Amino acid sequence: MTMSVAAIMPFIFIAPLVGFVWLTFAREHTTESTAAIVGVGSIGISAVATAIVGYGYLTTMPSGGSVTVELWTWMQIGQFAPTFAAKLDPLSLTMLGVITGVGFLIHFFAAWYMRGDDGFARFFSYMNLFVASMLFLVLADDLLFLYFGWEGVGLCSYLLIGFWYKDPQNGAAARKAFVVTRVGDTSMLIGLFVLYQTFGTLNIAAIVHAAPQVWSVGSPMATLVCLLLLGGAVGKSAQLPLQTWLADAMAGPTPVSALIHAATMVTAGVYLIARLSGLYTLSPAGLECVGAVGAITLLLAGCSALLQTDIKKILAYSTMSQIGYMFLAEGAGAYDAAMFHLMTHAFFKALLFLSAGSVILALHHEQDIFKMGGLRARLPFAFAAMLIGTLALTAFPLTSGYVSKDLILNRAYLAGHQNLWLAGLVGAFLTSLYSFRLIFIVFFGPERWRATSHGAPHPAHELSHHIPLAALLALSLGGGLIHLPLGGVLPPSPVVGEAPFWIEYAPVVVSLAGIAVAWLAFLQAPQIPAALATNPATSWVAALWRGAWGFDWVYDRLFVRPFVALSRMNRSDPFDRVVNVVPAVLRGLNAAAAASQNGNLRWYAAVAGAGLCALIAIVAFL
């Protein structure tokens, strides 16, 4: 069975790669139906291959272990011979299930959502490459191979966020995502240099095995490496201080947003820290930084979500907050809880984004929640899907989000991180507040869409719309029952005390309180938040939260404007003028040579005769 697992594993990433190549080179001659079959079918094949491999692995190795398939040696320079090898273990299998399973449902939905778009085939070619890059990242046995997939994900995010590139704002959002994540990627790359310099290899298992023999617990070098790798993680996962790109990434089509937020890019940082947990156990300071970054991000993002009016941006800040919970869990040493929440979050966040896309299309591409309202009767299926997704997001009992978020908070408290537990509890209140603000404004209250020129909403009836939403709805409810066998891969969660009985009920009480406040503030008495937003004493807070705490403003003045000013100053750089002498001389010589080719036969004969005379004179006198 192990041999069959190894034989099938390459098909997991080969299928989306073939789909990408097909759609890239044949898209001008491919019909929309064919593009959909290739784009969706390739991810479907990858999902089926993942299911077969997962079944074979779990039945063959029920107690853990790994299967490694060496694909090829990338290069060999002396002792440096990095290999592209795919490694299957419980951690990578969990990620494969999320990427291919949720990714397939998103692709299936996109076949309906993107119908009629001029770039239909191009869209699916980028989406296939996106999934293939993420599969490389999670299957990599070597950090260089992982970095290859890491950069591939970054490239595809640029292509997909700026998919509708004719709008300059979309292009700006794509460039912003690319540049901001490159900052984190540079930090990560430096960390890889340090690891190779120290261990002479980039093989993950070899590094994790050798690290305790080279570094002691609390070693400055171990902390340095962990912080450098954390820089890469916060860039990809949109955590403080590199979180500014994610809200602008909503410029891409809604299925792109679902894929980035649920199944691929933003989960990469969480996976990286979990995969290298053996290094972070050697750096308590690095682990504290991971938890602090997660706690602060989830609070800041939750506050920002309260003041947004774009339905997709509310969900974007929600993603930052939920990824913050995963970082918080890893900072507390609860890696298994972080990965569990990563899986359940993929289910309900994909459901939320796709149901939001259904609402957006029903309202003729309207995204302002204050131009919606009263839609629960007009769009009953989208309302049901969004309500279940929101209940899971707010950790309502009997949903998958309740199981995973409760586990994170419980583990954080038991590990002695009461500060992280308290931040998570406040974040749970904010989550319920901004999530049900969205539900009450969009689906209840007056039908504000009547005041627009778009016309009445038109619900979808296609199976490619209903099936993905129904599947994700079921997973958002029952996904918490899935057992992840991560004990043999990730270190156990630390336990330094006992939790009082009320700890188990506190998150539920806080979440219900948030729902109650949202019902009062946004449905029963909407004049209250309106008054707070305009009151001089509190309006500055509203402006600060609406502007995402001013990070873009600060970065613009600290980095963007000085760089632009420096570029303008160097526009007439004297060194450039000196260097430009060479091409100027060459252009002059070329012009002189070209002038001699005038098409005059007598001129050519004269030049030939003069040249012959000069040659004879040179021979005679020398």
Side-chain angles (χ1 to χ4, degrees), residues 126-134 153 156 160 259-260 264-265:
Y126 293 164
M127 291 277 279
N128 278 193
L129 183 61
F130 202 170
V131 171
S133 298
M134 191 67 189
V153 168
C156 293
L160 286 165
L259 194 62
I260 289 176
T264 55
M265 188 166 173

Side-chain angles (χ1 to χ4, degrees), residues 153-469:
V153 168
L155 170 64
C156 293
S157 68
Y158 167 78
L159 295 173
L160 286 165
I161 293 168
F163 178 76
W164 288 317
Y165 57 87
K166 293 182 181 179
D167 185 340
Q169 291 185 347
N170 295 346
R175 290 192 298 274
K176 182 178 180 180
F178 192 79
V179 171
V180 172
T181 55
R182 290 291 78 69
V183 175
D185 295 352
T186 303
S187 171
M188 179 180 172
L189 187 59
I190 296 172
L192 299 189
F193 289 155
V194 175
L195 285 173
Y196 183 76
Q197 178 67 27
T198 304
F199 298 102
T201 181
L202 288 175
N203 182 271
I204 297 173
I207 290 174
V208 171
H209 177 74
Q213 304 169 27
V214 177
W215 295 328
S216 59
V217 176
S219 165
M221 283 301 296
T223 300
L224 173 63
V225 168
C226 288
L227 292 178
L228 289 169
L229 296 174
L230 176 61
V234 299
K236 277 292 186 289
S237 292
Q239 298 293 285
L240 193 76
L242 299 179
Q243 80 284 9
T244 58
W245 66 269
L246 192 62
D248 291 335
M250 298 303 97
T254 301
V256 173
S257 304
L259 194 62
I260 289 176
H261 290 247
T264 55
M265 188 166 173
V266 296
T267 62
V270 181
Y271 170 78
L272 177 70
I273 294 174
R275 175 58 75 188
L276 297 175
S277 57
L279 296 182
Y280 280 89
T281 56
L282 301 175
S283 175
L287 212 52
E288 289 287 341
C289 287
V290 173
V293 164
I296 296 171
T297 304
L298 76 89
L299 294 176
L300 296 185
C303 293
S304 295
L306 273 172
L307 273 297
Q308 303 305 311
T309 59
D310 186 309
I311 188 172
K312 288 175 64 177
K313 285 194 175 183
I314 295 171
L315 296 179
Y317 284 107
S318 165
T319 297
M320 292 182 203
S321 184
Q322 296 306 303
I323 298 294
Y325 273 104
M326 300 173 206
F327 273 68
L328 182 153
E330 292 182 322
Y335 296 100
D336 57 341
M339 294 304 301
F340 189 38
H341 193 56
L342 184 153
M343 179 190 69
T344 60
H345 173 261
F347 300 152
F348 60 73
K349 187 50 61 69
L351 177 64
L352 283 169
F353 265 110
L354 297 188
S355 53
S358 180
V359 172
I360 290 169
L361 278 196
L363 291 176
H364 312 277
H365 296 280
E366 180 59 67
Q367 295 185 198
D368 188 339
I369 61 173
F370 289 102
K371 294 181 181 178
M372 300 178 185
L375 292 174
R376 67 185 185 280
R378 297 270 180 172
L379 306 172
F381 187 54
F383 168 63
M386 202 150 203
L387 180 61
I388 294 300
T390 300
L391 289 173
L393 173 63
T394 57
F396 195 82
L398 304 179
T399 65
S400 61
Y402 167 75
V403 180
S404 58
K405 190 179 289 187
D406 182 71
L407 183 63
I408 287 176
L409 294 177
N410 188 266
R411 292 282 178 82
Y413 194 95
L414 289 175
H417 293 276
Q418 281 77 18
N419 54 343
L420 297 182
W421 174 83
L422 182 60
L425 205 62
V426 176
F429 175 80
L430 290 172
T431 301
S432 294
L433 188 57
Y434 69 70
S435 298
F436 274 89
R437 168 182 178 260
L438 186 155
I439 291 292
F440 291 142
I441 292 174
V442 171
F443 294 102
F444 292 82
E447 296 179 332
R448 289 175 292 269
W449 51 266
R450 290 185 180 276
T452 67
S453 59
H454 301 318
H458 53 89
H461 301 287
E462 290 83 349
L463 287 177
S464 54
H465 168 271
H466 291 343
I467 292 176
L469 291 181

Side-chain angles (χ1 to χ4, degrees), residues 555-573:
Y555 291 165
D556 181 64
R557 281 151 181 79
L558 282 181
F559 303 112
V560 178
R561 293 191 181 186
F563 180 80
V564 171
L566 190 62
S567 300
R568 288 173 177 168
M569 290 170 55
N570 287 327
R571 198 178 284 173
S572 301
D573 190 340

